[in-house]
Amino acid sequence: AQKITQTQPGMFVQEKEAVTLDCTYDTSDPSYGLFWYKQPSSGEMIFLIYQGSYDQQNATEGRYSLNFQKARKSANLVISASQLGDSAMYFCAMRPPPSSGGSYIPTFGRGTSLIVHP
Amino acid sequence: GAGVSQSPRYKVAKRGQDVALRCDPISGHVSLFWYQQALGQGPEFLTYFQNEAQLDKSGLPSDRFFAERPEGSVSTLKIQRTQQEDSAVYLCASSQKETQYFGPGTRLLVL
């Protein structure tokens, strides 16, 4: 069974500073994908970044980067130059790729609430 | 381009009432997922479609929950005889490959 753990219920960061949101995972599948989503107070889940388990390089998307450490089973999200609009819930999630032949049921963590203050 | 849309955005139901929640996925997306998100929690998987086939419904909490996607595009999640514990946000997501794209959700409140 897959499991995602986000140990930080809440994080505070000052505007323009970088922040790291932690995510650890557990799975017996050899092939999997890791995702981060942002959920502002409006409720919509916004896709941020994806990392495949066989990708050699850490994923980056603009100000977002994923610090993927496979041996430690961690997939931390790094947000550089925080903005006030980054204040939201952030969810780490895992699912196997559709072609893996394994279970396709995605698993989400409980989320981390990020507050960016001026 | 159009994203995933859901309707209604908000629904208040009396306990025992039946409700139907609609999801319009991104055009051409084969996979469609339904999730239930309780306050302060992450989304919990309910069911999954690939085209019109419901490949997994193991997350549906009871036989009062039913989902369909008859033509492989629009999907409806139906909850019969709603209970107060059904109050949550119901999220729909669609995907073509690895990444799921979510709709805005339907906030259901059962009184």
Side-chain angles (χ1 to χ4, degrees):
Chain A
Q2 300 175 340
K3 183 178 180 181
I4 292 282
T5 302
Q6 293 181 254
T7 56
Q8 306 156 315
M11 289 286 286
F12 291 86
V13 65
Q14 190 157 14
E15 191 179 10
K16 300 181 184 177
E17 292 187 348
V19 62
T20 297
L21 306 183
D22 294 343
C23 173
T24 58
Y25 60 91
D26 191 17
T27 181
S28 58
D29 291 318
S31 177
Y32 49 89
L34 294 156
F35 303 81
W36 277 92
Y37 286 87
K38 172 185 178 181
Q39 189 176 42
S41 56
S42 60
E44 186 169 356
M45 296 280 282
I46 302 167
F47 166 72
L48 296 178
I49 195 166
Y50 167 81
Q51 177 87 42
S53 59
Y54 291 119
D55 292 344
Q56 294 298 315
Q57 295 197 346
N58 287 346
T60 60
E61 289 286 348
R63 294 185 300 111
Y64 305 107
S65 61
L66 202 153
N67 184 3
F68 181 48
Q69 298 187 42
K70 194 171 183 177
R72 300 179 63 178
K73 293 190 175 180
S74 73
N76 299 339
L77 176 70
V78 180
I79 306 174
S80 62
S82 299
Q83 302 173 356
L84 297 178
D86 293 335
S87 295
M89 285 291 292
Y90 287 82
F91 292 95
C92 180
M94 175 199 298
R95 64 163 288 169
S99 60
S100 72
S103 171
Y104 48 78
I105 298 175
T107 303
F108 283 78
R110 296 188 64 169
T112 295
S113 175
L114 175 66
I115 296 176
V116 180
H117 59 87
Chain B
V4 178
S5 61
Q6 291 186 247
S7 61
R9 292 293 311 277
Y10 303 91
K11 178 69 180 178
V12 179
K14 292 182 179 179
R15 189 162 57 93
Q17 186 179 351
D18 296 350
V19 299
L21 312 180
R22 176 187 169 105
C23 172
D24 282 86
I26 293 172
S27 178
H29 278 195
V30 169
S31 301
L32 186 146
F33 298 78
W34 282 99
Y35 296 85
Q36 181 189 62
Q37 185 178 22
L39 190 65
Q41 303 292 321
E44 294 283 344
F45 170 80
L46 292 177
T47 187
Y48 160 67
F49 289 86
Q50 190 163 332
N51 296 306
E52 69 278 4
Q54 188 175 20
L55 298 188
D56 194 302
K57 53 182 180 180
S58 63
L60 296 177
S62 77
D63 58 7
R64 296 186 295 104
F65 287 70
F66 171 76
E68 59 183 7
R69 193 186 185 197
E71 297 180 356
S73 55
V74 171
S75 178
T76 304
L77 176 66
K78 298 179 179 178
I79 309 173
Q80 297 176 326
R81 305 181 302 282
T82 52
Q83 304 294 316
Q84 287 185 324
E85 61 263 28
D86 300 335
S87 296
V89 175
Y90 291 85
L91 294 166
C92 175
S94 70
S95 71
Q96 187 69 334
K97 294 182 179 178
E98 295 87 0
T99 302
Q100 295 185 19
Y101 296 93
F102 284 79
T106 294
R107 294 178 185 266
L108 173 65
L109 177 62
V110 182
L111 301 175

